[in-house]
Amino acid sequence: MISEADLAAIWLTLKLATTVTILLLLIGTPIAWWLARTRSWWKGPVGAVVALPLVLPPTVLGFYLLVAMGPNGFVGELTQSLGLGTLPFTFWGLVVGSLFYSLPFVVQPIQNAMEALGQRPLEVAATLRAGPWDRFFTVVLPLSRPGFVTAAVLGFAHTVGEFGVVLMIGGNIPGETGVVSVQIYDHVEALEYAQAHVLAGGMLAFSFLVLLGLYGFQRKHPARGLRW
Amino acid sequence: MRAVNGFIAVALCCLLSGPALAARIHVAVAANFSAAMRDIATKFEQSTGHELLLSFGSSGKIFAQIQHGAPFQVFLSADREKPEALEQAGLGVPGSRFTYAVGALALWSATPGFVDDTPTRLISGAFNKLALANPKLAPYGVAAVEVLEALQLQQVTEPRWVVGENIAQAYQFVATGNADLGFVALSQILHQGRIKEGSSWLVPPELYSPIRQDAVLLQSATDSEGARALLDYLRSDEVRGIIHAHGYTTE
């Protein structure tokens, strides 16, 4: 029932989602920390940019990424001058696209968790002579753990479900950019509804179970402002 | 005052009689034919008073929508198979099918002078990516693969294919400069009878099977005079002229 091409698509999707989730936790944490703490005028604009993918149609994001990462775009010129070639139609192109696309799903839960901490634990740690780095790694990170779990789960699931951006910058190359959502789309368009059902049903079950697990976790570890 | 009354009377007449005569026809159109169809629709509405509601999309998607009760009355497909299948399934009116346009394939680059009017560039291999529509889904993709097979280039070029889900996306990959070359529909790169930008090779029709695009009247429109008028209009000389100007031929 599941063809080799479908299996390749599933494997590629998991690889993409894992890579993106790890990178997003690394990139998203300092952004979330800054957004949670800053009183700067920039908090509004930066927060808005981070949240943009929540409201923008993925085709808009995909189209601008295609133009920007192309040989005449500013990202494309940068990657070419670094000897990396251009990013569209490559796995790393999808990774870059997904970083933008899933950014709010990772930053916002972490930011909410950090904001929910308040000043108190940090002040207490400071009176015990913990330096800023020490406070961040031994106080902020452990106390924000529920936020990180939510962020990782949502970032992963959202990347698995990505379609519009991948369609625009992927080029549907087997094993390189042909992810599950595109594979489902191809099956439907080719009127292969049986194969489409297998993958689409799997996707539905996966998404439901992920969210079910997440809400179960959140009930056990309640934290303010973490409801999604 | 009398003049105003007269004006109101005329206006009322027009308002009341208008909808009674003119029909609103919902037409589903394959994406590659959208520019031509917009031109045709304007003329058709002017000359008949009927109103056309145009929905553009890939033929596969429209086909699935019709199967699930989409309120279309006429379907202009990008191929022959789907109108035929609809007729067999009892969703199309028997005997209403005909080929309204035959598509032409072009190898196109957004860079002027990159392609001359021969396949030399393709054979030389001096390009980064070759964009084409998905041969599993799009007739223009099937034609592109046939051309590559005819030139015995399928295997050597395949690692460099980037596949769009339809011909519009293949065009987009080339237009944004991400692929040096791409097989596109001639209709996409033609503007008022000329190639609008870049350079191209108009692929000789011997190298691929004709891309026949069929129209079909759908069951819900069996008694719609307006829908039948549109199908007749599509076969008129005037419309053929428009279709040719958009880079298609007719049978």
Side-chain angles (χ1 to χ4, degrees):
Chain A
M1 201 68 217
I2 289 193
S3 68
E4 217 164 282
D6 288 348
L7 280 178
I10 293 171
W11 168 240
L12 179 72
T13 305
L14 294 177
K15 187 172 118 185
L16 176 70
T18 307
T19 312
V20 168
T21 307
I22 292 169
L23 287 175
L24 271 181
L25 288 174
L26 293 175
I27 299 166
T29 304
I31 298 177
W33 178 240
W34 183 81
L35 283 171
R37 292 286 124 185
T38 187
R39 292 200 191 99
S40 154
W41 177 86
W42 283 100
K43 178 171 176 167
V46 172
V49 168
V50 168
L52 266 183
L54 288 176
V55 292
L56 273 185
T59 40
V60 171
L61 200 59
F63 180 65
Y64 280 126
L65 284 169
L66 186 65
V67 172
M69 301 196 306
N72 308 317
F74 69 97
V75 179
E77 280 173 2
L78 180 74
T79 54
Q80 280 172 309
S81 68
L82 294 172
L84 299 170
T86 52
L87 287 170
F89 320 129
T90 64
F91 176 75
W92 287 101
L94 291 197
V95 170
V96 172
S98 309
L99 287 180
F100 284 103
Y101 181 64
S102 295
L103 187 64
F105 290 83
V106 172
V107 168
Q108 292 193 350
I110 300 177
Q111 182 190 343
N112 289 343
M114 287 172 167
E115 280 174 351
L117 286 184
Q119 284 293 341
R120 185 87 184 127
L122 292 174
E123 285 165 3
V124 171
T127 60
L128 298 172
R129 291 203 213 148
W133 289 101
D134 197 9
R135 270 178 278 164
F136 182 74
F137 284 105
T138 58
V139 179
V140 176
L141 287 190
L143 286 178
S144 311
R145 196 174 69 100
F148 279 95
V149 173
T150 305
V153 171
L154 285 178
F156 188 88
H158 195 242
T159 308
V160 167
E162 179 176 355
F163 173 66
V165 174
V166 174
L167 194 69
M168 295 291 271
I169 61 174
N172 202 358
I173 300 165
E176 177 90 18
T177 60
V179 298
V180 170
S181 55
V182 174
Q183 192 76 9
I184 294 174
Y185 184 79
D186 280 2
H187 283 317
V188 174
E189 288 281 295
L191 316 180
E192 299 163 351
Y193 295 157
Q195 287 101 309
H197 274 309
V198 173
L199 285 180
M203 196 82 129
L204 185 69
F206 166 78
S207 304
F208 177 75
L209 290 176
V210 161
L211 290 178
L212 190 70
L214 182 61
Y215 287 141
F217 172 83
Q218 286 182 343
R219 240 199 3 225
K220 274 191 212 152
H221 304 266
R224 220 154 20 97
L226 268 177
R227 285 285 155 193
W228 271 75
Chain B
M1 194 60 198
R2 187 175 285 176
V4 173
N5 278 338
F7 175 76
I8 291 173
V10 170
L12 270 178
C13 265
C14 292
L15 277 177
L16 293 176
S17 67
L21 290 174
R24 195 172 208 230
I25 307 151
H26 204 154
V27 190
V29 185
N32 79 77
F33 200 65
S34 46
M37 192 59 202
R38 279 199 193 93
D39 283 2
I40 294 168
T42 313
K43 295 224 153 129
F44 180 74
E45 287 178 338
Q46 277 168 4
S47 66
T48 64
H50 294 306
E51 190 193 343
L52 293 186
L53 205 59
L54 304 178
S55 299
F56 302 105
S58 77
S59 299
K61 215 173 293 149
I62 296 170
F63 179 81
Q65 289 169 348
I66 292 171
Q67 281 184 316
H68 293 94
F72 303 128
Q73 292 169 294
V74 175
F75 173 31
L76 303 188
S77 183
D79 64 3
R80 308 193 77 182
E81 289 77 17
K82 293 186 183 79
E84 198 180 345
L86 286 173
E87 194 181 305
Q88 277 164 6
L91 292 165
V93 175
S96 67
R97 261 187 305 130
F98 70 97
T99 303
Y100 64 93
V102 181
L105 191 69
L107 181 74
W108 179 59
S109 166
T111 313
F114 195 77
V115 184
D116 52 11
D117 202 26
T118 67
T120 314
R121 175 66 72 172
L122 199 58
I123 294 164
S124 75
F127 57 89
N128 64 356
K129 299 275 179 196
L130 173 65
L132 59 152
N134 193 334
K136 207 174 121 189
L137 310 177
Y140 285 91
V142 175
V145 173
E146 284 175 356
V147 172
L148 290 171
E149 277 168 358
L151 297 171
Q152 296 183 325
L153 289 172
Q154 192 194 358
Q155 290 197 339
V156 276
T157 56
E158 199 161 347
R160 285 194 260 175
W161 288 4
V162 287
V163 180
E165 59 123 344
N166 58 36
I167 196 71
Q169 222 193 352
Y171 173 87
Q172 197 180 77
F173 288 157
V174 182
T176 54
N178 282 295
D180 283 340
L181 284 180
F183 281 106
V184 300
L186 178 62
S187 56
Q188 292 175 302
I189 55 171
L190 216 55
H191 185 67
Q192 292 177 342
R194 288 169 173 274
I195 303 294
K196 56 187 174 192
E197 58 178 327
S199 51
S200 68
W201 168 48
L202 180 55
V203 182
E206 310 85 82
L207 294 183
Y208 57 95
S209 345
I211 307 167
R212 289 206 180 88
Q213 308 197 174
D214 277 10
V216 66
L217 185 68
L218 298 172
Q219 206 61 50
S220 65
T222 313
D223 302 320
S224 163
E225 270 178 45
R228 286 188 188 269
L230 175 64
L231 289 182
D232 288 339
Y233 189 68
L234 281 171
R235 277 180 277 205
S236 68
D237 287 341
E238 188 188 358
V239 170
R240 281 170 185 254
I242 300 175
I243 292 177
H244 295 165
H246 277 278
Y248 301 89
T249 54
T250 49
E251 288 190 322

